Amino acid sequence: MYQVVEQFVSINGEGVCAGELAAFIRFKGCNLNCSYCDTKWANQTNAPYTEKTADELLAWAGGTGVCNITLTGGEPLLQTNIGELISLLIQNGFRVEIETNGSVFIGDLAESEHRPVFTMDYKLPESGMEQAMDCGNFGYLNGDDTVKFVAGSQNDLTRALEVTEKYQLRERCHVYFSPVFGKIDPAEMVAFMKENQLNGVRLQLQLHKFIWDPEKRGV
Ligand code: SF4
């Protein structure tokens, strides 16, 4: 059984399929507490949730008519037996992307027969959660995957660059820099990319914040 707080169809807001339709399954709970978290409500211990089986979620996904499935949270990798759901969805022809916070080991899933696509965060200093990052995860990423740095300051950008270079992330996977909404001007991020000749890094704005009310859920 999986603890699900939301299911809806929208567009992917991040990763390489940003802008494409996706069926989202949002799971309850997170092991981090980022300063800018916009889904804190889903992480509370008393957040309302529904228990769903893998077959129920597969049936729902099939009914949406959408072939991209995004597993998100919270932190989806905290769900017991999440690998079973991923396998079932992939075996049934879905492209499964998992949005994970960078603190939970991904090795087993990354080496499994039915491998999802990872969009993995690296939490920068402004998040208050950098100490929780498991940098061993970088070794399991490939060209289908993305590391996303959500930056809220110049200091964050400098750290994102250090990590990108230290782990040679541009040679390994996609690298996205994204602003904390309302905290740093995206133009400042572009200036930083120009100054540092950050070829191969993409700026990504959180599409949902621009299309809908930034506080709106289920979109
Ligand atoms: S990892 Fe994601 S869901 Fe968890 S606290 Fe941070 S922003 Fe929120």
Side-chain angles (χ1 to χ4, degrees):
M1 287 292 214
Y2 303 98
Q3 298 186 339
V4 175
V5 294
E6 270 189 328
Q7 290 166 250
F8 55 94
V9 172
S10 186
I11 50 165
N12 262 322
E14 34 193 78
V16 285
C17 287
E20 282 188 34
L21 283 178
F24 286 78
I25 303 172
R26 186 185 304 286
F27 298 96
K28 176 177 181 278
C30 187
N31 56 325
L32 302 186
N33 185 19
C34 303
S35 58
Y36 50 73
C37 181
D38 54 10
T39 55
K40 282 189 195 295
W41 59 271
N43 304 341
Q44 307 298 323
T45 45
N46 62 352
Y49 65 90
T50 311
E51 292 204 321
K52 296 275 171 80
T53 63
D55 285 333
E56 286 169 337
L57 291 170
L58 173 66
W60 173 76
T64 65
V66 171
C67 52
N68 293 321
I69 307 289
T70 300
L71 306 181
T72 191
E75 172 48 60
L77 292 182
L78 298 180
Q79 296 292 311
T80 308
N81 295 331
I82 192 75
E84 278 178 30
L85 173 63
I86 292 169
S87 265
L88 185 67
L89 291 168
I90 292 176
Q91 287 177 77
N92 279 275
F94 292 98
R95 176 191 179 277
V96 178
E97 180 167 332
I98 189 150
E99 294 181 341
T100 182
N101 65 24
S103 73
V104 183
F105 183 63
I106 64 165
D108 296 340
L109 271 182
E111 291 185 333
S112 64
E113 186 186 351
H114 302 290
R115 183 191 191 279
V117 173
F118 294 93
T119 296
M120 193 172 82
D121 286 347
Y122 181 92
K123 300 296 182 186
L124 293 165
E126 292 273 338
S127 72
M129 293 291 125
E130 189 180 10
Q131 73 288 350
M133 294 299 94
D134 179 352
C135 293
N137 279 334
F138 291 143
Y140 293 96
L141 299 179
N142 67 31
D144 293 330
D145 302 321
T146 300
V147 171
K148 182 171 57 105
F149 295 92
V150 178
S153 66
Q154 279 289 326
N155 182 46
D156 271 2
L157 288 171
T158 303
R159 181 67 184 140
L161 174 55
E162 276 172 15
V163 174
T164 298
E165 293 192 333
K166 179 173 178 187
Y167 295 97
Q168 299 184 309
L169 294 180
R170 282 178 279 180
E171 287 74 49
R172 186 179 288 284
C173 60
H174 303 280
V175 177
Y176 286 9
F177 282 16
S178 187
V180 178
F181 188 74
K183 272 219 99 176
I184 186 169
D185 184 350
E188 219 182 297
M189 298 181 71
V190 176
F192 181 87
M193 290 167 68
K194 284 164 65 178
E195 272 162 35
N196 292 282
Q197 300 178 334
L198 281 181
N199 295 298
V201 170
R202 292 185 199 167
L203 175 73
Q204 187 162 73
L205 304 177
Q206 286 176 287
L207 286 175
H208 294 69
K209 306 273 194 209
F210 291 89
I211 301 175
W212 294 282
D213 181 319
E215 303 298 322
K216 192 170 168 61
R217 294 185 193 174
V219 290

